[in-house]
Amino acid sequence: MAKELYITFNSMEKKVLPKAYYPGWPLTSYTVGVARNATDGCQFSVLSQEGEHKNLKIEVVGDTDKGVEIELLREGYVSCEGALYPDPVFADDGCFDLEEWKNVTYLINVSTKPDTVPGNYDFKVNLYENGELYNSYNLWVRVWNFALNPENMMDTTMGIDTRWLFLQHKTDDREGVFKKYYDMLLDRYHICGRFLPYDILDPRADAYMSDPRVTTFHVPYHSNFQPEYTDDDEKVIAYYNKLKTNPEWLKKAMFYVVDEPQRMEDYERIHAVCEKLSKVFPEYQLVVPYYMDPRDGEGVRAVDLMEKYNIVWCPKSSLFREDWLKDYMASRRELGERTWWYCCWEPPLPYANLFIDMEGFYHRVLFWQQYMYNIKGFLYWQATHWNNGSPWDVTSPVPELSYYCFGDGSLLYNGDRIGIDGPVGSLRLEIVRSAIEDYHMFEIAEKIFGREYVEEQIRRVSKNVREYCDDHRILGKLRWEIGEKISEYYNNK
């Protein structure tokens, strides 16, 4: 007789590898805490230690008619130099076969509405085998008595590389497929694509620019990494003339022309661009991701070279190991300037990043650290950098930089691989979405209890960008405590 199936719940941040097994410690029930108008979740894994199992099915039943919605997403595995990790997530019918010693894991998302009634909700995760109920498992949901506002999220910007996108989808409807990727980032993950689905001068762009969830968009402008765009004065002036008719549009508009300057000639390029934009686009904002002082500028700091321009400050996250930079960015914020940060193929551990083979803890704590340093925006260079092939097959998009930066610049999957005419999300982005919502929860907590309280809680899991307690259970416990404290405050008002 085959052994019983091994069933366990896990937090979103614990990536369940194919043969992951925790003897003596299965979690056969789980509690999810979620604010109103928010999403969080957990994972449900099924493992056979002996023999195959056919015709299994998972379903979640319970109080779905009371404003709590449940979404089941199957986790797919991709290879990182031969080691399999979960990353693509997609909806299916909940039916699966189970190979021996290979987990099947579902992400269970719990979503609420603005008017969902706070309180406790009971759900059952039912597992069937050959049409017969194998067992039921408790999923408890705690809806906190406060709501997040998706129109008040932090600044984000993320590239969608259309070259590789169109190559994988093989479609003539390039505008349509790009829009699907942009809309998924915005609607599902609170992330603004770098460029709008339509040209700024196109009337169809107006709705996006007026959408409060769209916190930023980039003005197309020629650079060495986006040569297809113009630096024609008349076109730039036309952009400015339209955008200035609406102050909110103009406030969101960014230029991104120089990436990671390394030498004095790069700063000369910044100077030339700013000189030109000051004439044709007087209220320009230029974002410049940077990670070092100029190699050939002895004793010259990058910040000193940029501070005379209308800069959106964007140092690499690892630079916040330096106390002087934290103080400098605080001084720029006091002047009313924007302060963002970014990560890419760097930094590696011990810094938090978004690599496939990193535990999900690091994807979430990255945004906790961002809040701790009072950084208001997050820049990520690409979500679809598939230059070496489909992300289902190739997880090293930047081998020229490092072969082991699995998933760098590649956070979405081409849906045509599984019959979807559009994007497939990733476990990493699901965690990032929840982390962005954590950021907003921290803002609510700060308004009630003060910034010192929030920073104290974050430092219980992350003292700085290099020191943290990398236990997803402790992170979840702290998040629960903060959510409960806010909810109790509103319950007693």
Side-chain angles (χ1 to χ4, degrees):
M1 181 177 177
K3 291 183 179 179
E4 290 188 357
L5 299 175
Y6 186 82
I7 310 296
T8 186
F9 285 93
N10 264 304
S11 74
M12 295 175 68
E13 296 77 43
K14 180 63 179 176
K15 294 186 181 179
V16 182
L17 304 185
K19 296 185 178 182
Y21 171 56
Y22 311 99
W25 190 59
L27 292 177
T28 53
S29 62
Y30 203 87
T31 302
V32 173
V34 61
R36 288 184 284 117
N37 208 29
T39 299
D40 209 84
C42 63
Q43 298 175 97
F44 182 84
S45 300
V46 185
L47 176 70
S48 171
Q49 301 174 62
E50 185 176 299
E52 297 180 348
H53 288 253
K54 301 287 187 179
N55 301 318
L56 296 166
K57 182 175 182 178
I58 177 179
E59 68 174 10
V60 183
V61 297
D63 298 332
T64 54
D65 60 339
K66 297 181 180 179
V68 177
E69 298 179 351
I70 299 293
E71 178 187 45
L72 273 176
L73 296 176
R74 175 80 172 266
E75 297 182 12
Y77 292 109
V78 292
S79 175
C80 298
E81 189 64 5
L84 295 179
Y85 286 86
D87 199 49
V89 291
F90 47 90
D92 67 4
D93 59 5
C95 298
F96 60 96
D97 295 330
L98 199 61
E99 300 175 27
E100 184 178 67
W101 281 109
K102 187 172 182 181
N103 275 295
V104 168
T105 299
Y106 278 85
L107 176 64
I108 304 176
N109 278 330
V110 179
S111 297
T112 57
K113 301 176 181 178
D115 58 354
T116 299
V117 178
N120 299 318
Y121 295 78
D122 295 334
F123 292 87
K124 293 287 186 182
V125 180
N126 293 332
L127 180 64
Y128 297 89
E129 186 171 13
N130 294 317
E132 298 291 328
L133 181 65
Y134 177 86
N135 211 341
S136 288
Y137 307 89
N138 290 317
L139 174 62
W140 297 300
V141 174
R142 173 79 158 169
V143 178
W144 291 317
N145 189 20
F146 62 94
L148 304 187
N149 182 0
E151 298 181 356
N152 190 34
M153 293 297 176
M154 66 185 202
D155 291 346
T156 54
T157 183
M158 187 175 291
I160 303 172
D161 195 321
T162 55
R163 295 169 296 175
W164 318 121
L165 180 67
F166 300 150
L167 181 64
Q168 291 300 327
H169 276 276
K170 300 179 178 64
T171 177
D172 293 330
D173 184 18
R174 295 190 168 194
E175 185 179 88
V177 74
F178 177 80
K179 184 178 184 300
K180 290 177 181 178
Y181 278 74
Y182 184 97
D183 288 348
M184 173 178 257
L185 287 177
L186 181 64
D187 296 339
R188 186 174 184 88
Y189 298 122
H190 309 305
I191 292 172
C192 300
R194 184 157 302 141
F195 296 104
L196 297 170
Y198 307 110
D199 185 79
I200 291 169
L201 299 180
D202 189 323
R204 293 176 295 175
D206 297 6
Y208 281 97
M209 295 190 295
S210 297
D211 190 330
R213 299 174 304 157
V214 177
T215 57
T216 67
F217 58 86
H218 287 225
V219 179
Y221 197 83
H222 176 81
S223 71
N224 59 342
F225 58 92
Q226 43 195 38
E228 67 273 25
Y229 295 120
T230 183
D231 59 356
D232 177 73
D233 286 356
E234 291 186 6
K235 188 69 174 288
V236 177
I237 290 170
Y239 286 145
Y240 177 70
N241 286 337
K242 178 175 180 178
L243 293 172
K244 72 178 182 179
T245 64
N246 187 320
E248 287 301 312
W249 293 354
L250 194 58
K251 182 180 177 181
K252 298 176 181 182
M254 306 280 174
F255 287 83
Y256 180 10
V257 181
V258 178
D259 184 54
E260 295 189 324
Q262 300 180 35
R263 300 185 179 279
M264 292 300 295
E265 64 182 4
D266 297 322
Y267 289 94
E268 292 169 4
R269 166 70 172 155
I270 293 173
H271 175 78
V273 168
C274 291
E275 284 284 296
K276 185 171 185 178
L277 290 178
S278 65
K279 299 172 183 175
V280 297
F281 202 107
E283 296 167 76
Y284 74 89
Q285 298 177 88
L286 183 71
V287 60
V288 183
Y290 82 96
Y291 70 99
M292 63 180 297
D293 293 329
R295 300 179 189 276
D296 52 350
E298 187 175 349
V300 177
R301 299 191 309 179
V303 293
D304 297 328
L305 294 169
M306 291 189 285
E307 66 179 17
K308 60 185 174 181
Y309 305 116
N310 296 332
I311 294 291
V312 177
W313 296 99
C314 194
K316 188 173 287 185
S317 59
S318 54
L319 296 186
F320 280 79
R321 66 185 181 272
E322 304 288 348
D323 287 337
W324 77 266
L325 182 80
K326 291 178 276 187
D327 295 338
Y328 183 87
M329 290 299 149
S331 71
R332 305 315 296 187
R333 279 192 301 276
E334 290 176 0
L335 295 173
E337 298 173 0
R338 290 182 170 181
T339 54
W340 295 359
W341 73 358
Y342 78 104
C343 59
C344 53
W345 72 281
E346 292 181 327
L349 288 174
Y351 299 97
N353 208 315
L354 302 181
F355 303 135
I356 293 173
D357 59 339
M358 273 185 169
E359 281 287 10
F361 166 89
Y362 297 101
H363 314 330
R364 196 155 189 167
V365 82
L366 174 66
F367 293 84
W368 288 40
Q369 293 172 343
Q370 182 178 327
Y371 195 90
M372 181 170 63
Y373 292 118
N374 206 11
I375 300 301
K376 302 301 184 181
F378 177 70
L379 179 147
Y380 195 76
W381 68 291
Q382 289 291 347
T384 61
H385 188 69
W386 305 332
N387 59 322
N388 292 318
S390 169
W392 298 89
D393 305 317
V394 181
T395 57
S396 296
V398 288
E400 68 279 9
L401 298 174
S402 173
Y403 191 79
Y404 298 101
C405 294
F406 298 115
D408 175 47
S410 179
L411 297 174
L412 292 169
Y413 289 80
N414 51 303
D416 62 298
R417 175 64 66 91
I418 57 173
I420 295 174
D421 184 21
V424 165
S426 65
L427 181 58
R428 288 174 292 159
L429 278 176
E430 296 291 316
I431 297 170
V432 166
R433 184 259 324 287
S434 292
I436 291 173
E437 293 184 352
D438 289 345
Y439 189 102
H440 188 39
M441 181 176 72
F442 296 152
E443 290 183 320
I444 296 172
E446 180 178 337
K447 289 178 181 177
I448 300 170
F449 309 116
R451 184 163 186 89
E452 184 176 345
Y453 163 77
V454 180
E455 289 186 358
E456 180 182 346
Q457 304 315 306
I458 295 175
R459 287 196 174 94
R460 290 169 64 188
V461 71
S462 179
K463 294 181 180 179
N464 52 56
V465 288
R466 290 192 290 190
E467 294 182 82
Y468 34 74
C469 176
D470 57 352
D471 188 329
H472 65 102
R473 293 166 296 184
I474 294 177
L475 184 146
K477 179 176 181 291
L478 290 175
R479 179 181 171 274
W480 178 273
E481 290 177 2
I482 296 170
E484 285 285 296
K485 188 176 179 69
I486 300 171
S487 191
E488 183 180 3
Y489 170 83
Y490 282 110
N491 287 338
N492 293 332
K493 283 195 71 173

